[in-house]
Amino acid sequence: MSNRRLTLTMVLILAAAGAPRQVGAADKAITYKTQNDRLKAVLNRIPEKYRERLSGASRNLLARVNGTSELPSRPGAIAHDSAEEGDAGAVPRPSVPATTTAPALGAGRVFGAISDSSTDLAFSRLAGFTQNETSTAWCGNVALVGYNDSGSLFETLNIPGIGISFSGVARSTDRGRTFADLGFLNPGSNVDVQLNGDPVVACTDPGTFYYSNIAADFGPFTGAVSVSKSTDGGLSFGDPVKAVEKSFDTHFIDKDWMTADPTNSNNLYVTYTDFDFSGDVCGFDGSAFPIFREGIELVRSTDGGTTWSAPVQVSSAAESCTTTGATQGSQVVVGGNGSVYVAWEQFTLTGIEIRIATSTSGGVSFGASVKVNDVNEAGELGDLQGSIRINEFPTLAVDRSGGSRDGTLYLAWNDGNIVGFDGVFGLDYGFTDILATHSSDAGGTWSSPVRVNGNVEPLTSPSVAGRGTDQFMPGIAVDSYGAVGICYYDRRSDPTNFLIDRRCARSFNGGTSWQSLNFRFNAQSFMSVTNQDLFLATDYMGDYDSLASDFTRAHRGFVGGYGDNESGQPDVKSNKF
């Protein structure tokens, strides 16, 4: 515990001094500590029960500004071969039959590391070695993966004349077969800017990629979502542009998501959660204190990310004002007709739901949201076994194949639908399955959820009878042939529910049924690696891993990054199938 009591100033100065130093690195570390002292007051103004619903990146930030990584848990709620011809280096996992019961389907493929682990311990044995929470974009032959990277923080602290970055980036030029770690995302020349993570990447063609983060600017003292643009296929990014910016005096912006419009490459959309204590939307209580708001908003760009619109409220006041509800975990997609869809996790006074809202005006306005389904809380007290912080955020995709199901929306989440009683604490544990649903009428109505993971549960062995195993954190995509892919973390191989694998499933009938790939992507099962990196929340393993299909529709199949702890520390690896 003595390590946790190190002041942030000392940790940062030692980190800067322990690396190959540049002039001013130690001074920059002290400035970073001063900046975080200012953020501490902002974050601690958010009521605790809502503070615990911050994204993983913001919870890491909260851990840093408070000088400790000990955070409380979140409470409960108020038919084609996908491997391309000539894919060199695509090696089926040895000793596991790479077969499938579906006709005309080839074997999936297993690929290696995205993040370069060789420098993970260059700065410290106690911090700076964690990469996870991935977002993947794929256009033509080029794929890009963005991820949270605590090592990037130390790298950028050591370079005077630039901001701070908590984000890494890796690039593939062979359609996701292999990746090169490009290091930290450029934070720009404004030394007052911090890029604090929650990465989302998107592309419109093989040369044009975008990368969003939650961000802070200590000049005007504002929170933001930043968007960085690459015009050389992800090799380099320009300085970040603020897509939305609000004063820290009354707002904290969190949990961004971003997408591009397939009908117009200049149109981009960013959603986020506004933790709002201004009173502007929700008003004030009887004591003249502002009613806290946790709402979903959207901003849009029509010029390729150069300028951005004013924020548009997506979730209503009734859904966002914490006297009646709260929202978090939005995702946004655009259909082939230009319609914009935003889904999120809705907390009500009686439980949890997934909701979705639609704009037919290019994001200028949204209709009333539609309830997709009720949700059972995952895990126990906001954590899964192994001290993994968990949520029920939806993952959203739309069919743009031009086939018979073009325009169909698909949505998945992890649902704690197998409940086991925990006798010691007297609480229930929600063992999670991956559930998926679809809509063929632009989100108006939704099918009954289908269980994606095909393992037999509840378990029947005497020692674990009636219990389940966790499948969690799904990512979803639809490819150019209309196939739907979902990848997720999976504990079915361990009836005691600790060891983790990476598995994927496909549907070729519009989500009516799912066929699991007959192998795992990791070489060996791994434990969660939490509570190891001093600059992270103690229960942090990321909030999401996205899955991508080729946005240009030139190639079939799926590519995605994911967090893998086989080495004993969190690294980012890839799966392609």
Side-chain angles (χ1 to χ4, degrees):
M1 292 297 293
S2 60
N3 286 332
R4 298 196 191 287
R5 298 192 182 105
L6 289 173
T7 66
L8 187 59
T9 302
M10 182 172 289
V11 171
L12 291 170
I13 292 173
L14 290 174
R21 278 196 69 196
Q22 302 209 18
V23 175
D27 291 338
K28 186 176 180 181
I30 294 173
T31 299
Y32 179 65
K33 167 63 168 62
T34 302
Q35 292 173 344
N36 283 353
D37 283 345
R38 296 183 70 188
L39 269 184
K40 180 177 180 178
V42 175
L43 285 162
N44 288 336
R45 281 188 65 190
I46 300 173
E48 184 175 349
K49 63 180 178 179
Y50 305 117
R51 196 187 316 156
E52 292 162 358
R53 268 207 300 269
L54 290 165
S55 70
S58 291
R59 283 165 56 84
N60 291 337
L61 182 61
L62 183 61
R64 296 196 295 278
V65 301
N66 282 329
T68 173
S69 57
E70 295 181 341
L71 295 174
S73 298
R74 175 177 68 82
I78 50 177
H80 295 272
D81 182 353
S82 61
E84 308 250 358
E85 292 294 328
D87 269 1
V91 182
R93 225 182 81 75
S95 76
V96 179
T99 60
T100 176
T101 57
L105 297 183
R109 297 296 187 258
V110 178
F111 300 84
I114 290 179
S115 60
D116 181 1
S117 61
S118 63
T119 59
D120 276 354
L121 302 177
F123 292 94
S124 171
R125 295 305 189 264
L126 302 177
F129 50 76
T130 300
Q131 300 88 32
N132 57 17
E133 193 169 272
T134 68
S135 174
T136 304
W138 175 17
C139 277
N141 289 332
V142 183
L144 210 69
V145 176
Y147 46 90
N148 286 344
D149 181 10
S150 63
S152 290
L153 187 153
F154 285 90
E155 289 172 340
T156 50
L157 271 172
N158 200 49
I159 304 174
I162 65 172
I164 300 294
S165 177
F166 197 81
S167 296
V169 59
R171 181 174 183 260
S172 170
T173 57
D174 54 11
R175 303 193 296 275
R177 295 195 298 269
T178 59
F179 282 86
D181 186 341
L182 302 183
F184 61 82
L185 177 70
N186 168 33
S189 57
N190 184 348
V191 296
D192 290 324
V193 166
Q194 293 182 13
L195 304 183
N196 287 318
D198 273 357
V200 182
V201 292
C203 61
T204 55
D205 58 65
T208 308
F209 283 78
Y210 299 90
Y211 194 132
S212 70
N213 281 267
I214 55 173
D217 187 340
F218 290 87
F221 198 52
T222 54
V225 175
S226 68
V227 175
S228 304
K229 184 175 183 178
S230 170
T231 58
D232 57 8
L235 271 173
S236 63
F237 281 85
D239 286 4
V241 172
K242 297 168 190 171
V244 60
E245 181 178 23
K246 297 190 180 187
S247 171
F248 274 135
D249 291 335
T250 49
H251 298 268
F252 183 83
I253 294 174
D254 190 35
K255 191 62 189 69
D256 58 299
W257 206 262
M258 176 179 58
T259 195
D261 185 346
T263 69
N264 187 329
S265 61
N266 285 320
N267 293 345
L268 301 172
Y269 300 90
V270 167
T271 60
Y272 55 90
T273 305
D274 185 4
F275 286 75
D276 174 4
F277 29 90
S278 68
D280 292 343
V281 175
C282 298
F284 296 80
D285 64 17
S287 303
F289 285 101
I291 296 171
F292 189 69
R293 172 176 172 264
E294 191 178 324
I296 305 299
E297 295 183 348
L298 174 142
V299 291
R300 67 193 185 280
S301 172
T302 58
D303 56 10
T306 301
T307 61
W308 292 83
S309 72
V312 174
Q313 290 187 44
V314 180
S315 59
S316 67
E319 293 165 328
S320 303
C321 299
T322 54
T323 52
T324 51
T327 61
Q328 179 60 305
S330 65
Q331 288 202 7
V332 56
V333 298
V334 182
N337 63 355
S339 292
V340 183
Y341 305 95
V342 180
W344 66 86
E345 183 173 9
Q346 177 72 49
F347 301 91
T348 74
L349 298 180
T350 58
I352 310 174
E353 303 170 356
I354 302 296
R355 301 194 72 86
I356 190 166
T358 302
S359 172
T360 57
S361 60
V364 174
S365 62
F366 283 81
S369 69
V370 171
K371 176 180 173 180
V372 176
N373 213 80
D374 291 317
V375 173
N376 297 298
E377 187 175 18
E380 183 176 339
L381 293 176
D383 283 354
L384 296 180
Q385 281 180 247
S387 298
I388 301 170
R389 183 267 183 97
I390 192 64
N391 52 61
E392 301 81 25
F393 296 164
T395 180
L396 180 65
V398 62
D399 188 323
R400 297 192 296 109
S401 66
S404 61
R405 288 183 287 270
D406 189 271
T408 299
L409 289 165
Y410 297 92
L411 192 150
W413 69 95
N414 51 233
D415 194 291
N417 62 334
I418 298 178
V419 178
F421 182 66
D422 189 332
V424 173
F425 296 103
L427 300 172
D428 289 333
Y429 183 97
F431 295 96
T432 50
D433 284 324
I434 307 302
L435 300 185
T437 179
H438 61 273
S439 171
S440 56
D441 59 1
T445 59
W446 291 82
S447 66
S448 297
V450 174
R451 186 171 178 262
V452 174
N453 48 293
N455 50 309
V456 178
E457 291 183 353
L459 303 175
T460 57
S461 299
S463 61
V464 291
R467 301 179 184 177
T469 58
D470 291 321
Q471 289 76 38
F472 59 101
M473 213 181 293
I476 193 171
V478 186
D479 76 0
S480 58
Y481 282 81
V484 191
I486 291 181
C487 294
Y488 54 93
Y489 297 106
D490 183 22
R491 283 171 153 169
R492 73 182 69 181
S493 62
D494 181 7
T496 64
N497 201 42
F498 279 102
L499 297 179
I500 302 170
D501 295 316
R502 184 68 172 178
R503 295 187 187 272
C504 299
R506 292 179 284 204
S507 175
F508 293 89
N509 58 9
T512 301
S513 61
W514 294 85
Q515 300 161 343
S516 294
L517 302 183
N518 290 349
F519 57 87
R520 63 188 185 188
F521 282 92
N522 48 300
Q524 63 183 28
S525 301
F526 53 86
M527 294 284 289
S528 64
V529 178
T530 56
N531 198 23
Q532 302 294 314
D533 193 318
L534 289 183
F535 270 25
L536 306 179
T538 58
D539 55 3
Y540 170 73
M541 196 177 136
D543 284 339
Y544 57 84
D545 291 287
S546 76
L547 188 67
S549 58
D550 183 356
F551 187 82
T552 70
R553 298 186 293 177
H555 306 287
R556 57 188 182 264
F558 306 94
V559 176
Y562 67 95
D564 185 299
N565 297 336
E566 294 177 58
S567 66
Q569 63 189 41
D571 294 317
V572 170
K573 295 188 178 179
S574 64
N575 48 238
K576 183 179 191 295
F577 63 102

